[in-house]
Amino acid sequence: MLISSALAAAINTQIGNELAASLQYHQIAAHFHEMHLLQLAGLFHKQATEEREHAEKLLKYVLETGGGLRIPAVRAPMHVFPSAEAAVEAALSWEREVTGQIKGLMDLAAREGDYLAQGFLQWFVDEQLEEVTKMQRLLGVIRMAGERNLLSVEAYLVHGHA
């Protein structure tokens, strides 16, 4: 086995977190779809796919290192958002939470001297900078536009600014 049982368990937990994020992003996409904001909906469907891919990457790592895959129950997503701003705030909050989770995995790998895991997890550390920055930027644009001008956010996204 190339991974400790503690780190394997922590990564299994993270697999569940990534799958939950995927579901949450699909729900946010549905919120925007129902508002006929298809660029925002598309952005969050893409985010959902990325989160699922993150889970698959973690899953494969656990299997390849002999850690024993144990996918946990996945928490249900929030279904209702009072505004576009609230939906993106939820996404940003989630990304910040995931950043802390990834840091925790990296800290555990470092404490255990698991250099394979540290190398593997570095990709996730770098990815979280991109994810948090993307949601911060989108939230800023939505706040500037306001709820009554979300079509300008759609135009912003059409021009590839997300």
Side-chain angles (χ1 to χ4, degrees):
M1 191 157 82
L2 296 173
I3 190 171
S4 72
S5 58
L7 187 54
I11 292 175
N12 276 310
T13 297
Q14 190 61 34
I15 291 167
N17 294 338
E18 299 291 337
L19 292 171
S22 179
L23 294 175
Q24 185 62 72
Y25 284 146
H26 277 305
Q27 193 65 57
I28 292 171
H31 170 79
F32 287 121
H33 185 87
E34 290 165 2
M35 296 173 67
H36 308 289
L37 298 169
L38 301 184
Q39 296 300 315
L40 282 160
L43 182 143
F44 280 98
H45 279 303
K46 183 179 176 207
Q47 288 298 120
T49 299
E50 284 183 19
E51 298 302 330
R52 191 182 70 249
E53 289 169 353
H54 296 170
E56 290 173 10
K57 193 171 198 159
L58 290 162
L59 182 149
K60 288 176 185 172
Y61 184 78
V62 169
L63 291 173
E64 288 173 0
T65 58
L69 185 63
R70 304 286 184 273
I71 299 172
V74 176
R75 68 181 178 190
M78 292 182 355
H79 296 103
V80 178
F81 303 94
S83 65
E85 183 177 340
V88 177
E89 282 175 340
L92 176 57
S93 176
W94 187 275
E95 290 300 341
R96 288 179 174 152
E97 184 178 329
V98 170
T99 299
Q101 294 163 353
I102 298 299
K103 181 185 178 304
L105 291 174
M106 184 65 97
D107 289 346
L108 179 57
R111 280 193 308 275
E112 293 185 351
D114 187 334
Y115 300 108
L116 285 174
Q118 288 176 60
F120 170 73
L121 291 169
Q122 186 61 50
W123 181 88
F124 288 91
V125 171
D126 297 339
E127 177 72 4
Q128 281 312 116
L129 173 61
E130 177 186 322
E131 298 298 329
V132 169
T133 300
K134 183 188 304 181
M135 289 303 143
Q136 284 175 328
R137 202 171 283 140
L138 181 58
L139 181 58
V141 169
I142 286 176
R143 285 179 174 159
M144 283 189 294
E147 291 295 316
R148 300 186 89 208
N149 294 307
L150 292 174
L151 290 179
S152 63
V153 177
E154 290 281 282
Y156 173 84
L157 293 174
V158 164
H159 289 34
H161 295 294

